[in-house]
């Protein structure tokens, strides 16, 4: 949804009606993740994608039908089977797509949600996508931290159950389809609720204002991170040297990390790349990073350096009193073995390791492996 929100808002603000199809669940090797959306505008243009091309035509037709009828529809697309699925996916995956009509009348809360997303304020949208009572389909509830929810899914019990679960998803910045009984019973079935978690972008902290950092910042921004480059040397830490970064900070790395932690700006989605390979910078920094508690420990902590630098760094971390378990959290030398030489190639190897760690990938060539391509999240 985030990718198509500008186009959706332009039509919404103009008072137009839009058909919106959203992937709400995926199985096996589905090509697009839950939350991917496609719009069918009033001028019959299509924006976005739900499958990378496999079922867009079918969703397009369904969206036009939903706009005309006003009735939302949950449709499943998968392996070609007329008895079970509407359209075949060439990848062999299965996806559920929820299609609804969106306008100022049907979705008056959208303006405030878009403002929250633009400002980087956390907000989540819970939508009933399946229910025995057709009148409940499409019911929405907007959830924000520390304030009462807006809207209702049809009953106080359902609202209370979903609200608690949505707050957890929002903290992680995740999308998910949740299953309950028809009135919100936690162990029941019959009601499914899709949750968009619009949390601020995850952070990438790049320590060390070197040429490699410029390439890493550019790739990090491409992957959707809010990128900060930090270095204690003002002559190197300048915005002109790092146009791909969202911000450039002049500070000692360990002091900056501690301050960000105290301010509540470090979480489990954060990734750290330590590119200084200078012990006076990276050892104090890694002492802080590797000792962070589980609830705020970054998803990835990597440090650049040669094999010799790596060995010397490990010796210094041991001298500093870090345990084997803490040191094992460190990815060093940083990145996957791609044979990289240039800063740009090295940035790709670092990004590849981050993605592999996030999704449980092996880093092996797909041509030499068997089984599913996409791992479960």
């Amino acid at each position: 949804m985030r990718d198509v929100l500008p186009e959706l808002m332009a039509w919404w603000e103009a008072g137009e009606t839009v058909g919106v199809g959203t992937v709400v669940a995926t199985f096996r090797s589905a090509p697009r993740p839950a939350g991917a959306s496609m719009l069918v505008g009033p001028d019959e243009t299509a924006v976005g994608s739900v499958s990378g091309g496999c079922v867009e035509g079918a969703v397009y037709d369904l969206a036009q039908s939903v706009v005309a009828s006003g009735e939302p529809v949950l449709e499943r697309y998968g392996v070609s089977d007329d008895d079970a699925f509407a359209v075949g996916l060439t990848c062999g995956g299965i996806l559920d797509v929820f299609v609804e009509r969106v306008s100022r009348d049907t979705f008056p809360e959208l303006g405030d949600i878009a403002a929250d997303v633009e400002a980087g304020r956390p907000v989540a949208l819970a939508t009933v996508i399946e229910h025995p009572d057709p009148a409940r389909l499409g019911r929405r509830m907007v959830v924000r931290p520390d304030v009462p929810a807006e809207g209702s899914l049809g009953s106080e019990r359902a609202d209370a159950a979903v609200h608690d679960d949505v707050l957890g998803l929002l903290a992680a910045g995740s999308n998910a389809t949740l299953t309950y009984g028809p009135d919100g019973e936690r162990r029941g079935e019959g009601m499914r609720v899709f949750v968009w978690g619009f949390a601020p972008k995850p952070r990438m902290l790049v320590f060390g204002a070197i040429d490699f950092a410029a390439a890493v910042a550019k790739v990090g921004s491409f992957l959707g991170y809010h990128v900060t480059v930090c270095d204690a040397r003002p002559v190197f830490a300048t915005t002109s040297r790092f146009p791909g970064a969202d911000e450039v900070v002049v500070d000692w790395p360990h002091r900056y990390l501690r301050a960000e932690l105290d301010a509540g700006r470090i979480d489990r989605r954060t990734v750290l790349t330590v590119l200084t390979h200078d012990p006076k910078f990276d050892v104090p920094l890694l002492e802080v990073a590797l000792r962070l508690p589980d609830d705020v420990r970054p998803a990835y902590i990597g440090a650049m350096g040669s094999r010799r630098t790596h060995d010397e760094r490990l010796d210094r971390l041991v001298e500093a009193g870090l345990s084997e378990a803490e040191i094992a959290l460190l990815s060093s030398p940083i990145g996957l073995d791609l044979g990289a030489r240039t800063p740009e190639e090295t940035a790709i190897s670092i990004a590849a390791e981050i993605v592999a760690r996030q999704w449980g990938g092996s880093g092996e060539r797909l041509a030499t492996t068997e089984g599913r391509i996409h791992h479960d999240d």
Side-chain angles (χ1 to χ4, degrees):
M1 174 65 81
R2 189 189 295 269
D3 292 342
V4 299
L5 192 56
E7 291 85 355
L8 178 59
M9 285 306 303
W11 279 318
W12 185 88
E13 290 172 347
E16 303 284 2
T17 299
V18 183
V20 180
T22 300
V23 178
V24 296
T26 64
F27 311 91
R28 300 209 295 265
S29 297
R32 295 281 282 156
S37 296
M38 187 179 84
L39 314 180
V40 177
D43 56 358
E44 300 188 344
T45 58
V47 177
S49 172
V50 294
S51 72
C54 298
V55 303
E56 263 68 13
V59 174
Y60 182 93
D61 292 340
L62 180 58
Q64 288 186 313
S65 175
V66 167
V67 168
S69 69
E71 301 297 327
V73 174
L74 177 66
E75 187 68 76
R76 174 162 289 187
Y77 301 96
V79 179
S80 295
D81 181 343
D82 292 339
D83 293 331
F85 305 112
V87 176
L89 285 175
T90 57
C91 64
I94 301 170
L95 53 86
D96 288 347
V97 179
F98 183 70
V99 183
E100 59 188 322
R101 182 172 66 175
V102 170
S103 67
R104 281 183 174 272
D105 291 335
T106 66
F107 199 169
E109 308 94 341
L110 182 60
D112 290 338
I113 293 172
D116 287 335
V117 173
E118 178 68 22
R121 295 186 294 265
V123 60
L125 175 65
T127 305
V128 177
I129 61 171
E130 186 174 15
H131 199 280
D133 180 0
R136 294 270 202 108
L137 287 179
R139 295 289 295 266
R140 303 184 184 93
M141 182 170 66
V142 182
V143 177
R144 300 177 177 88
D146 305 320
V147 297
E150 180 182 353
S152 174
L153 303 182
S155 74
E156 291 185 4
R157 180 175 182 177
D159 292 347
V162 174
H163 182 269
D164 289 345
D165 293 338
V166 169
L167 286 176
L169 290 171
L170 185 57
S174 300
N175 302 325
T177 295
L178 308 176
T179 302
Y180 305 88
D183 199 35
E185 301 91 336
R186 290 196 173 275
R187 299 197 177 191
E189 295 182 351
M191 179 173 75
R192 288 206 291 164
V193 178
F194 181 70
V195 180
W196 274 292
F198 296 106
K201 290 182 178 181
R203 299 190 66 190
M204 172 182 281
L205 305 184
V206 182
F207 294 102
I210 63 175
D211 290 344
F212 288 91
V216 171
K218 185 175 182 179
V219 172
S221 179
F222 177 76
L223 291 177
Y225 288 96
H226 179 95
V227 181
T228 300
V229 175
C230 175
D231 197 297
R233 302 165 296 179
V235 68
F236 297 117
T238 63
T239 55
S240 61
R241 294 188 68 230
F242 300 99
D246 294 285
E247 56 183 345
V248 180
V249 174
V250 178
D251 201 349
W252 279 83
H254 71 283
R255 186 168 61 190
Y256 175 74
L257 180 59
R258 176 58 66 183
E260 291 301 284
L261 176 67
D262 292 342
R265 291 191 286 266
I266 304 296
D267 60 29
R268 294 297 302 270
R269 301 182 301 149
T270 304
V271 298
L272 271 60
T273 62
V274 183
L275 311 182
T276 53
H277 49 80
D278 184 334
K280 70 175 177 290
F281 293 120
D282 60 14
V283 172
L285 170 62
L286 291 172
E287 284 187 69
V288 176
L290 297 173
R291 284 173 167 159
L292 292 178
D294 289 344
D295 60 336
V296 293
R297 180 180 298 130
Y300 175 85
I301 303 171
M304 176 179 282
S306 65
R307 297 291 182 184
R308 178 178 177 179
T309 298
H310 167 73
D311 292 339
E312 293 174 349
R313 180 188 294 127
L314 293 186
D315 290 340
R316 289 188 172 93
L317 293 174
V318 171
E319 291 173 2
L322 273 75
S323 67
E324 289 186 9
E326 290 169 334
I327 293 175
L329 300 171
L330 177 64
S331 294
S332 173
I334 198 171
L336 296 184
D337 180 12
L338 304 183
R341 295 291 187 271
T342 68
E344 291 75 17
E345 291 171 347
T346 301
I348 294 298
S349 79
I350 294 170
E353 185 177 30
I354 291 172
V355 172
R357 288 285 298 272
Q358 178 181 6
W359 298 112
S362 67
E364 299 289 333
R365 294 178 62 222
L366 289 174
T368 62
T369 62
E370 297 181 353
R372 296 177 56 190
I373 292 177
H374 300 291
H375 293 250
D376 293 328
D377 51 338

